[in-house]
Amino acid sequence: MPDIIQLLPDSVANQIAAGEVIQRPASVVKELVENAIDAGASQIKINLKDAGRTLIQVSDNGCGMSDTDARMAFERHATSKIKSANDLFEIRTMGFRGEALASIAAIADVELHTCQHDQEIGTFIHINGSKVIKQEATSCACGTNFMVKNLFFNVPARRKFLKANSTELKHVITEVQRIALANSDISFSLIHNQQTIYELGQDNIRKRIGILFGKNSTQNLIPVNTETSLVNITGYIGQPKHARKTFGEQFFFVNKRYMRHSFFHKAVMQAYEKILPPDSIPSYFLFFEVKPESIDINIHPTKTEIKFESESAIWQMIRASVRESLGRHNVVPSIDFDQAGSIEIPLPPKNAGEIRPPEIEIDPTYNPFEEEKKFTSIPDFANTPPDNKKAQYWEKLYRDFAQEEEEEAPEEFPNEKHINQKQNPLEIKHEEQHNSRTCFQFKNKYILTPVKSGLMVIDQKRAHERILFENFMAVIETNETVSQQQLFPHTFDLNPADAELLRSVLDDLKVLGFDIRDFGNNSFIINGTPGMLDNASPLEVIESLLEDIKSSATDLKEKARENVAASLARASAISYGYAMKLEEINQLIDQLFACSTPNFSPSGKQVLTIMPIEHFEKLLK
Ligand code: ADP
Ligand code: MG
């Protein structure tokens, strides 16, 4: 038998490699633009014809190549970016595998003009299907200009696999968006069939997001900024109320490289838990800076999968820093939490071994009945100021308010001070009663209260839902059920379907403080209710709870207790039309801002909004 194994010619090996790196025009754009970035370009121009099928041209003002390098660049595994295997663990460039140009030249017609900055004469190379057609000296602009024509001309199967031009162009745009987001200091232009799609100057990241995704999106952005020894996380996240039902504005970058990371995506989603409208995904643009040696980029040729050394620690940090930013923003940034400083996320020491959850200390002297008032519904709001830290910040905001107003009054409104001094006497009375806070109820539905940046409007029902929900959750977490026995137990009958539904949540209701027994034949008896519901009619609460569960889109089985707590909070919150006393209003505000997520009701509806001062100034101009 003769020997049958042969080495493949380079051109065939390159074509096979191209299958992995170059799948469509967008991959060519990505590779060429990344090379331009690695070459230190500050200006990159992309020009396409027929979504890149006929022509992909990428030109840059980067360092350019010598004539030898220009020829070498098309060889497989030829790279200037790493020298040894050790360098693989410290990659700071976008490329390093040295296979993109060889792959592209194997499946297209490529012309390269390149000139180094200190040279007058540059190099021209023409390669077609891995064959060098021409190489000569030429005079050209400093930098590099690639023209890739007739992609996949020699791989018909690949060419057939390409989608409609509109789809291919969409892929290119996605690729350009990712690179342009990660490099807002570089100017880019993208032209398709002589029509300009993007003309991006050197921007800051916020402005670039605005240009790429529309002006509205910048107003909706909340900054994120966390520095730890393991990772720095910066960037922006979108407000929950603007979250969309579809993916499209979710971006992670690590050391300026776009990456997909479903595990980290979950960290962001968890940070938004319970404040998002159902089934929606918030936008985020998060940039991680890590030590290059702590990640592995070399998992897949397209390098969008990245492995992290301390994945779970980073997961925690993402969640914490997104949460912190949401908290800061939701409770109206410039007012109070701005002063709270940045978060400290404790880092586990290296070689710490298994991370153990913190132990919960239980105070044996704690008497739940003493605290009961803290959880009460509206009629008991008075006289129970929560000594919560956040609530104190909140108080401070009001104390500072009058003083800051004076300091900040813009010059063009010379009478503003005067107006401030001539406050409504009624309001002054309110202020005296409650740490100089001014507030009142409007239409028995909203609570209005001035804050530093404008007028805050709080939805009374949603606010109460949030308070009750967090109190219920505290009960669940601490297992400190407070049930109040009924003097006259209520019996009630349900239709078979509702009875079945109630039976399915009886255990959860028990944890929350309901003592309900199933009498058989779809009859039930309520012996006790949660302490915090003391004034609501238990029957009404159960009825609206069942209605709420029926209409809720979420599956009760998942996180059953949390969902029951949310439904219960909705069912037992004060309604619109309930006239509140001043003490109750103050108590509601205090308790709301003692909540961890005051801005949103448990079902993700907005609890409050601030009408900025500028808004009034505009109205009255
Ligand atoms: P890699 O980027 O992984 O090194 P490529 O095949 O993409 O591999 O490029 C090969 C080499 O060609 C690069 O290492 C770089 O030295 C050179 N090169 C490619 N594009 C440019 C460019 N636009 N400007 C300057 N040099 C370039
Ligand atoms: Mg490259």
Side-chain angles (χ1 to χ4, degrees), residues 31 35 38 81 95 100:
E31 294 298 335
N35 279 346
D38 285 341
K81 297 167 195 175

Side-chain angles (χ1 to χ4, degrees), residues 73-140:
F74 291 100
E75 294 298 321
R76 203 138 62 99
H77 309 309
T79 179
S80 56
K81 297 167 195 175
I82 56 171
K83 291 195 171 62
S84 69
N86 279 346
D87 296 344
L88 270 179
F89 304 105
E90 226 184 294
I91 286 161
R92 291 176 196 275
T93 49
M94 302 304 290
F96 57 88
R97 296 168 63 110
E99 57 189 3
L101 290 185
S103 300
I104 294 168
I107 43 119
D109 185 74
V110 180
E111 288 177 24
L112 159 69
H113 289 87
T114 185
C115 182
Q116 291 176 307
H117 281 251
D118 51 356
Q119 302 291 314
E120 274 165 21
I121 298 291
T123 306
F124 169 76
I125 293 185
H126 180 191
I127 295 193
N128 184 290
S130 294
K131 264 200 234 93
V132 180
I133 311 283
K134 197 177 202 179
Q135 171 159 12
E136 64 187 16
T138 182
S139 103
C140 60

Side-chain angles (χ1 to χ4, degrees), residues 213-275:
F213 298 101
K215 265 233 162 69
N216 287 343
S217 57
T218 46
Q219 287 152 12
N220 147 39
L221 294 178
I222 302 169
V224 175
N225 202 335
T226 301
E227 286 184 21
T228 70
S229 54
L230 199 60
V231 59
N232 290 349
I233 306 174
T234 56
Y236 293 91
I237 52 174
Q239 288 188 17
K241 64 179 175 190
H242 292 298
R244 302 219 184 129
K245 303 259 179 219
T246 50
F247 279 91
E249 295 184 10
Q250 290 72 34
F251 294 89
F252 286 131
F253 300 91
V254 58
N255 297 353
K256 290 198 158 188
R257 186 190 302 277
Y258 170 81
M259 69 163 179
R260 296 167 207 277
H261 212 297
S262 55
F263 184 52
F264 289 169
H265 171 74
K266 285 197 187 113
V268 177
M269 292 306 283
Q270 274 217 5
Y272 275 86
E273 205 167 35
K274 289 278 169 203
I275 57 171

